[in-house]
């Protein structure tokens, strides 16, 4: 990703175009939507629409003009602007890891317990799984409890990685709920509504009730009463669920296949100010629009996008690894390894989720993963730093800027550009 985004910037400077224009020319489009490993990219219109929305909401072109004018008048402080998109494939590329299990128990008082194979590490996975169970059983989310992930409950768990925790475990939990619901519907049809002529296929769970029929013939049984009746009639109130991601395959020997079930998209606009005499810089504003399909929980997903972006920004700007002559890592603590902190947040930080574009694949409620894709949006900051430095060369070239782009590296890049282009101006007799 870094290599191709650098190429987009370099091409733009060479041909005198805005980098965003070059990026948009290279989007997937009808007739050119196959990856180098042979997978067809679905929802190709989504990325273009997403970027166009972000262009408008972030006022990209007006700010671009203002920044260009500012840089022409400011010899020391230079501003930079960049919009970088992301297309991120979702699935483990090791096919066997794309599976998950869940264990569902309903107790005679109507309480529900779910256990699944995903690890909660602050990303809100347990909350999303509880929401899935509550939605399937027509209950309030507060009525669903979750227990700690343990392999004596759900065995052979895959890592909670590859942004797949909610996708895999949510589907497994839903599978368990669907199986249990069908059993309860069969029981209700046979024992509770047998003489009322109600259609088994029209039964549904909603608002804490099993509902059968419509209109005047509608019948409702409270969840607790249904569960108690099922127990007294010796109907199992426990179920296991399982899910394996369909369609994916990949031949590593030839580098061809469909390693991803779907793609998540996103884009970020970053604006920076750079002191070209010291290399110090500030991220002034960030605008993000990210695609999560039909979000399972917008509040959680926005938090994931915000956190992922800041983490990615730190990876590309401050988190520098250093070793001494003996080969020992010396950037091994918070005094020497600089992760981003609250003070590094941009003063203006606008994050929105793309709406109206459910996942084209049958993911859990047509949602999309939101763990790793926003991490790559941090590239917008690195690209914006290159944009600011390019103004020292009248935007004729994008400077090399290794990552992490620490103030030291930014300063070295600025000095190298300034020395070359100042010398060239003097030779031409320019001021």
């Amino acid at each position: 990703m870094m290599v191709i985004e650098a190429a987009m910037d370099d091409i733009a400077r060479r041909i005198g175009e805005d980098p965003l224009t070059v990026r948009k020319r290279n989007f997937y489009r009808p007739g050119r939507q196959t990856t180098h490993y042979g997978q067809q990219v679905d929802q190709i219109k989504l990325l273009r629409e997403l970027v166009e929305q972000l262009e408008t909401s972030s006022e990209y072109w007006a700010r671009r003009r203002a920044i260009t004018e500012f840089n022409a008048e400011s010899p020391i402080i230079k501003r930079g602007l960049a919009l970088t998109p992301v297309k991120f494939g979702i699935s483990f590329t090791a096919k066997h890891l794309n599976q998950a299990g869940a264990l569902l128990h309903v107790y005679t008082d109507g309480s529900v317990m779910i256990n699944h194979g995903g690890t909660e590490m602050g990303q809100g996975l347990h909350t999303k799984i509880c929401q899935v169970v509550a939605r399937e059983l027509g209950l309030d989310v507060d009525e669903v409890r979750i227990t700690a992930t343990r392999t004596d409950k759900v065995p052979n768990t895959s890592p909670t990685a590859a942004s797949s925790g909610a996708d895999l475990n949510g589907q497994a939990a839903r599978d368990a709920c669907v199986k249990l619901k069908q059993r309860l519907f069969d029981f209700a049809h046979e024992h509770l509504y047998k003489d009322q002529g109600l259609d088994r296929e029209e039964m549904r769970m909603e608002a804490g009730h099993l509902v059968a029929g419509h209109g005047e013939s509608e019948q409702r049984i409270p969840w607790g009463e249904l569960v108690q009746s099922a127990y007294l009639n010796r109907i199992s109130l426990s179920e296991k669920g399982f899910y394996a991601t369909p369609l994916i395959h990949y031949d590593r020997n030839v580098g061809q296949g469909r390693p991803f079930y779907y793609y998540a998209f996103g884009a970020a606009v970053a604006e920076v100010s750079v002191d070209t005499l010291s290399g110090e810089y500030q991220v002034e504003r960030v605008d993000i629009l990210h695609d999560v399909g039909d979000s399972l929980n917008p509040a959680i997903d926005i938090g994931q996008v915000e956190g992922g972006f800041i983490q990615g920004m730190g990876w590309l700007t401050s988190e520098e690894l250093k070793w001494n002559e003996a080969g020992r890592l010396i950037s091994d603590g918070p005094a020497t390894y600089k992760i981003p902190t609250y003070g590094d947040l941009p003063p203006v930080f606008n994050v929105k989720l793309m709406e109206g574009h459910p996942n084209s694949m049958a993911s859990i409620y047509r949602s999309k993963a939101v763990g790793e894709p926003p991490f790559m949006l941090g590239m917008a900051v690195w690209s914006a730093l290159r944009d600011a430095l390019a103004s020292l060369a009248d935007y004729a070239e994008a400077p090399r800027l290794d990552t992490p782009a620490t103030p030291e590296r930014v300063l070295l890049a600025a000095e190298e550009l300034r020395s070359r282009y100042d010398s060239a101006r003097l030779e031409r007799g320019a001021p």
Side-chain angles (χ1 to χ4, degrees):
M1 286 182 170
M2 292 291 294
V3 169
I4 199 62
E5 294 305 331
M8 293 295 103
D9 289 337
D10 292 348
I11 291 168
R13 300 308 175 200
R14 179 65 63 90
I15 65 175
E17 294 271 19
D18 190 277
L20 176 57
T21 301
V22 175
R23 286 184 167 95
K24 290 170 70 174
R25 287 176 185 164
N26 285 275
F27 284 171
Y28 290 101
R29 56 186 181 272
R32 295 189 64 182
Q33 60 192 94
T34 304
T35 67
H36 58 283
Y37 44 88
Q39 180 167 344
Q40 292 286 304
V41 180
D42 200 3
Q43 293 185 299
I44 56 174
K45 293 182 180 179
L46 172 57
L47 181 58
R48 187 173 297 276
E49 183 177 335
L50 185 149
V51 168
E52 289 174 353
Q53 284 190 27
L54 187 60
E55 275 183 74
T56 301
S57 64
S58 68
E59 302 175 301
Y60 178 89
W61 294 107
R63 291 164 63 195
R64 168 61 74 198
R65 290 189 293 272
I67 286 171
T68 302
E69 292 171 2
F70 174 88
N71 288 340
E73 301 295 328
S74 176
I76 306 303
I77 304 298
K78 299 293 185 179
R79 290 180 180 172
L81 184 70
L83 188 157
T84 59
V86 165
K87 167 190 127 279
F88 202 98
I90 304 297
S91 286
F92 287 100
T93 49
K95 182 178 177 179
H96 69 278
L97 295 178
N98 294 283
Q99 59 176 304
L103 180 64
L104 176 70
H105 294 322
V106 176
Y107 296 92
T108 54
D109 64 352
S111 60
V112 179
M113 186 197 77
I114 184 71
N115 189 278
H116 62 91
T119 301
E120 174 62 61
M121 58 190 86
Q123 82 278 38
L125 176 60
H126 282 353
T127 299
K128 288 185 174 181
I129 300 301
C130 285
Q131 286 181 277
V132 169
V133 173
R135 178 170 171 173
E136 288 297 323
L137 299 181
L139 303 173
D140 188 88
V141 71
D142 293 335
E143 299 178 67
V144 180
R145 294 180 298 160
I146 204 158
T147 54
T149 304
R150 293 169 52 121
T151 52
D152 61 354
K153 297 289 192 303
V154 176
N156 309 318
T157 57
S158 294
T160 306
S163 307
S164 63
D167 280 8
L168 295 176
N169 296 286
Q171 289 281 34
R174 180 176 181 272
D175 181 57
C177 292
V178 169
K179 291 175 181 176
L180 182 63
K181 275 197 304 184
Q182 297 308 313
R183 188 182 305 139
L184 291 174
F185 290 167
D186 289 341
F187 161 72
H189 183 256
E190 181 67 23
H191 295 275
L192 304 180
Y193 297 130
K194 186 174 183 179
D195 300 323
Q196 298 182 31
L198 295 176
D199 188 352
R200 158 69 175 76
E201 300 304 319
E202 290 187 353
M203 290 185 182
R204 56 202 181 276
M205 305 296 301
E206 61 182 39
H209 291 76
L210 184 152
V211 183
H214 294 278
E216 294 182 357
S217 64
E218 182 180 281
Q219 299 287 330
R220 287 177 171 264
I221 300 177
W223 169 254
E225 184 179 324
L226 172 67
V227 169
Q228 187 65 218
S229 296
Y231 169 73
L232 293 175
N233 282 274
R234 299 184 297 175
I235 302 300
S236 173
L237 294 172
S238 181
E239 188 59 77
K240 69 177 179 67
F242 182 79
Y243 177 74
T245 308
L247 304 177
I248 55 176
H249 60 91
Y250 187 65
D251 186 340
R252 292 183 179 273
N253 294 323
V254 297
Q256 293 289 297
R258 179 182 175 153
F260 305 116
Y261 188 40
Y262 62 86
Y263 295 97
F265 300 94
V269 178
E271 180 179 342
V272 300
S273 294
V274 179
D275 184 334
T276 58
L277 293 183
S278 68
E280 183 181 2
Y281 54 82
Q282 172 70 41
V283 181
E284 304 286 359
R285 174 176 169 179
V286 171
D287 296 82
I288 295 174
L289 184 59
H290 197 71
D291 160 44
V292 295
D294 280 347
S295 174
L296 292 177
N297 187 313
I300 287 176
D301 288 347
I302 286 175
Q304 288 288 283
V305 174
E306 292 172 341
F309 174 83
I310 295 298
Q311 185 180 355
M313 182 180 75
W315 164 61
L316 292 173
T317 60
S318 65
E319 297 180 21
E320 186 173 18
L321 294 172
K322 291 186 177 181
W323 291 265
N324 62 16
E325 293 180 356
R328 179 175 177 177
L329 182 69
I330 57 176
S331 52
D332 58 355
T336 52
Y337 185 76
K338 301 298 184 181
I339 65 172
T341 64
Y342 181 81
D344 297 304
L345 287 172
V348 180
F349 195 15
N350 302 315
V351 178
K352 292 184 179 180
L353 303 179
M354 187 76 170
E355 297 180 353
H357 291 272
N359 195 342
S360 60
M361 303 306 296
S363 58
I364 183 69
Y365 304 138
R366 301 288 175 167
S367 64
K368 287 189 178 182
V370 71
E372 292 165 328
F375 179 84
M376 307 310 299
L377 296 175
M379 290 186 294
V381 174
W382 172 71
S383 188
L385 289 171
R386 296 185 81 206
D387 181 67
L389 292 172
S391 67
L392 293 171
D394 297 328
Y395 297 103
E397 70 172 272
R400 173 170 177 162
L401 182 61
D402 290 341
T403 59
T406 59
E408 295 87 347
R409 285 181 172 154
V410 170
L411 178 59
L412 290 173
E415 290 180 340
E416 196 273 336
L417 271 180
R418 184 180 278 120
S419 64
R420 282 196 296 113
Y421 278 83
D422 284 354
S423 297
R425 289 190 188 97
L426 288 174
E427 290 177 5
R428 297 194 307 267

